[in-house]
Amino acid sequence: MSSQEENIKIRTSGVTVHYGAAQALHGIDLDIRANEVTALIGPSGCGKSTFLRCINRMNDVIEDCHFGGKIEIDGEDIYSGEIDVVELRARVGMVFQKPNPFPKSIYDNVAYGPRIHGLASSKDELDHMVETSLRRAGLWQEVHDRLHTSGSGLSGGQQQRLCIARTIAVDPNVVLMDEPCSALDPIATAIIEELIEELRSQYTIVIVTHSMQQAARVSQRTAYFHLGHLVEHGDTDRIFTNPANKQTEAYISGKIG
Amino acid sequence: MGSEHIVSSFDNDLAELNHMVARLGGLAEQQFAAAVEALETRNTSNIDAIVEADKQLDKLEFELNERAIEVIARRSPMAKDLRRIIVALRVAGNLERIGDYAKNIAKRSRVIIEHEKSLGDNVSIARIAGLTQQMINQVLDAYATGDAELAMDVWDRDMDVDQLHTSIFREVLEQIGADSERVSAGSQLLFVAKNIERIGDYATGIAEQIYFVKHGEFPSQTRPKADDSSSSAIDQS
């Protein structure tokens, strides 16, 4: 099938990453479909976070980190010389494990991206962007009357939604999430998961998670990584009920592989 | 079905469910054998005990259901573990139904024994019961060992039971047709044969579940069927 028919947003081929002499990824070929949530799972050190960080070139800043292979987003090679990395990271946003709001007001946290990218031409337009982003992140109702108080005064779950609002304020089309709920309680987690489901109609989402249940709940596709290799990739429904690979089965069932 | 979860108490939970299914299977086998023996030996003395013992099966199935729900809630099973637990629930349901049919055979046998001593003597009830008992025995072995091939052998043999049921059905119809005083006992015997045939179907259903645990999908062939009793009638000409 052509990428047109399958609606492939991100195509990675032969992706390798070395940290100095140590090879972290061994030739990853993974197609990620638009408007779907793809979950990357696997034991610690399997390369899933390294792989995630290749998609917006976050590994570039790590000394001695060497990328090989090819990643295309909408058919464009993101490692080619013509790519503006800052612009790429606006298109491919990222949400981290620990909520990391800037030590600024709620408003300024969300307005930060549009400001540095010059996306708003007036105060009204910026206000509108902040409101829309907070609404999409499901936070507006809770914070609209205290936009100018500090973002760090929010609860953990609210802070994480603020970080999601900040990410989507610059209108990305891919959102990467690296264990976005690992610091949250079950209710805050459920709210983020509900949000992920709502966001996928507009964004392509790739999420790294250590929770098998979370991967099963939020994703349409799941990729299992082990020792820097992509072991298995397929429909989440199948991966968690009838995985093809014995290593995948052992991992998701909590067995010694 | 060997497995070695990092959390070893999960293995214990799964083993316990298997053990409960095995106990249910043993009870269902016993009940069926006792019901068939009562009919074959024309002995009603054991029938009340058979009817009473069915409660044990119901109780054990209920306990297994509760235990399985607890395991699902606590362990969030995935993949084969999930299939094993869901299948334990379904197999327990099938075995409980086999017990119900055994009880029903026992009740009907009483009527047959009391009304008509000779009816069915030349009918192959013993043969169909024997075949079905073998199927249950083998399918329970297949369950205990997770042997999908052995299970599929049971699956294939359901056709023999169906064929035999059709021929019993016709034989009994002929006997009733020849002697109208045999209608009440004969009708009961038709139901007994049907119950045994249904027990064979449940054994076949269990075989499919065993295949599903191993392969994650159900057997692809259409299930062999040879029960033509629904189109049989007394020849009135």
Side-chain angles (χ1 to χ4, degrees):
Chain A
M1 251 192 283
S2 74
S3 58
Q4 196 68 37
E5 284 168 275
E6 268 206 62
N7 203 9
I8 300 300
K9 181 78 182 176
I10 306 166
R11 170 158 281 165
T12 81
S13 28
V15 168
T16 60
V17 169
H18 288 81
Y19 293 115
Q23 187 163 2
L25 288 177
H26 300 262
I28 307 299
D29 300 315
L30 178 61
D31 288 344
I32 293 167
R33 294 186 195 156
N35 303 113
E36 282 192 347
V37 179
T38 297
L40 310 181
I41 62 168
S44 297
C46 69
K48 58 192 187 298
S49 288
T50 295
F51 179 75
L52 187 78
R53 295 159 70 92
C54 288
I55 301 174
N56 69 348
R57 294 185 57 172
M58 287 279 291
N59 291 328
D60 287 13
V61 297
I62 298 172
E63 207 179 328
D64 248 9
C65 179
H66 298 286
F67 175 90
K70 196 173 182 184
I71 297 182
E72 293 166 292
I73 297 180
D74 295 326
E76 184 185 21
D77 181 354
I78 63 164
Y79 280 83
S80 87
E82 292 120 55
I83 286 285
D84 174 350
V85 176
V86 174
E87 191 269 337
L88 171 73
R89 290 185 194 140
R91 269 199 293 149
V92 184
M94 190 149 187
V95 177
F96 296 88
Q97 182 173 0
K98 266 188 75 180
N100 55 350
F102 302 135
K104 292 168 179 287
S105 71
I106 293 167
Y107 183 97
D108 286 339
N109 260 280
V110 184
Y112 183 83
R115 277 186 184 132
I116 60 164
H117 289 284
L119 300 180
S121 55
S122 67
K123 173 79 170 71
D124 281 354
E125 202 178 340
L126 190 61
D127 286 352
H128 179 71
M129 280 179 175
V130 169
E131 179 175 339
T132 307
S133 304
L134 285 168
R135 280 189 189 281
R136 280 186 191 163
L139 194 58
W140 178 253
Q141 287 302 326
E142 292 157 63
V143 301
H144 66 94
D145 53 357
R146 51 168 167 153
L147 291 176
H148 297 285
T149 62
S150 170
S152 47
L154 298 171
S155 73
Q158 288 173 326
Q159 286 186 22
Q160 195 60 303
R161 278 179 282 149
L162 177 62
C163 294
I164 292 172
R166 186 178 68 193
T167 301
I168 61 185
V170 293
D171 201 23
N173 39 49
V174 176
V175 177
L176 309 177
M177 297 183 166
D178 195 352
E179 296 189 58
C181 301
S182 62
L184 304 182
D185 70 31
I187 299 296
T189 297
I191 294 169
I192 300 282
E193 289 179 358
E194 172 69 6
L195 178 58
I196 290 170
E197 173 61 24
E198 283 166 19
L199 293 175
R200 83 175 168 95
S201 64
Q202 294 166 63
Y203 310 96
T204 299
I205 298 171
V206 187
I207 179 172
V208 164
T209 176
H210 272 139
S211 160
M212 296 304 96
Q213 280 67 43
Q214 179 166 68
R217 286 192 299 260
V218 303
S219 71
Q220 285 70 53
R221 307 272 290 174
T222 296
Y224 173 61
F225 284 73
H226 186 63
L227 298 173
H229 295 272
L230 175 61
V231 174
E232 185 169 356
H233 172 228
D235 288 338
T236 296
D237 290 339
R238 185 185 61 75
I239 296 278
F240 288 106
T241 55
N242 193 17
N245 189 284
K246 289 245 174 285
Q247 282 180 308
T248 315
E249 168 102 30
Y251 181 70
I252 63 170
S253 314
K255 290 178 187 172
I256 297 154
Chain B
M1 294 191 197
S3 59
E4 51 299 312
H5 290 90
I6 296 163
V7 179
S8 57
S9 52
F10 188 8
D11 287 338
N12 299 341
D13 288 343
L14 292 171
E16 188 192 342
L17 286 178
N18 266 6
H19 184 64
M20 290 173 102
V21 171
R23 269 171 61 207
L24 254 174
L27 276 175
E29 247 184 326
Q30 247 177 46
Q31 287 282 90
F32 181 34
V36 170
E37 196 192 338
L39 178 63
E40 281 173 3
T41 59
R42 299 291 191 260
N43 179 359
T44 56
S45 65
N46 208 16
I47 286 175
D48 287 339
I50 296 170
V51 172
E52 185 61 24
D54 184 57
K55 290 176 187 159
Q56 282 181 49
L57 271 153
D58 296 348
K59 181 166 172 279
L60 192 53
E61 193 217 356
F62 181 78
E63 286 168 9
L64 187 144
N65 277 317
E66 284 200 317
R67 194 74 192 92
I69 289 167
E70 281 167 22
V71 175
I72 291 170
R74 292 165 62 110
R75 308 290 183 191
S76 298
M78 292 284 190
K80 194 175 182 187
D81 296 332
L82 179 60
R83 298 202 297 274
R84 281 176 67 179
I85 296 167
I86 297 298
V87 162
L89 281 168
R90 289 187 188 146
V91 168
N94 284 7
L95 291 171
E96 191 274 329
R97 289 297 293 148
I98 288 175
D100 286 345
Y101 280 117
K103 178 174 77 173
N104 192 263
I105 290 167
K107 285 180 174 173
R108 292 182 189 280
S109 294
R110 193 200 307 273
V111 181
I112 296 165
I113 294 163
E114 285 168 359
H115 280 77
E116 173 62 82
K117 299 239 184 280
S118 68
L119 179 103
D121 276 357
N122 53 350
V123 165
S124 326
I125 288 288
R127 245 185 90 205
I128 192 173
L131 270 179
T132 312
Q133 280 169 316
Q134 272 173 24
M135 284 171 72
I136 295 176
N137 186 277
Q138 189 172 329
V139 88
L140 290 173
D141 281 352
Y143 183 86
T145 55
D147 187 340
E149 271 179 47
L150 186 64
M152 291 319 286
D153 184 49
V154 172
W155 198 73
D156 287 334
R157 277 193 283 139
D158 190 46
M159 203 155 85
D160 300 339
V161 172
D162 286 352
Q163 277 169 348
L164 204 48
H165 173 247
T166 304
S167 79
I168 291 171
F169 194 88
R170 287 180 185 144
E171 278 179 67
V172 175
L173 279 192
E174 272 170 29
Q175 292 192 14
I176 295 172
D179 181 354
S180 60
E181 284 185 10
R182 290 178 147 179
V183 168
S184 36
S187 310
Q188 299 294 352
L189 196 61
L190 288 176
F191 277 107
V192 166
K194 185 65 193 169
N195 285 353
I196 296 173
E197 188 270 329
R198 290 295 294 143
I199 289 175
D201 287 345
Y202 279 110
T204 312
I206 293 171
E208 288 173 1
Q209 300 295 330
I210 295 165
Y211 184 94
F212 173 69
V213 170
K214 175 149 191 197
H215 298 287
E217 56 186 24
F218 285 95
S220 53
Q221 315 100 290
T222 321
R223 184 162 148 186
K225 276 267 153 217
D227 183 2
D228 299 326
S229 63
S230 48
S231 52
S232 299
I234 301 179
D235 190 356
Q236 303 280 19
S237 58

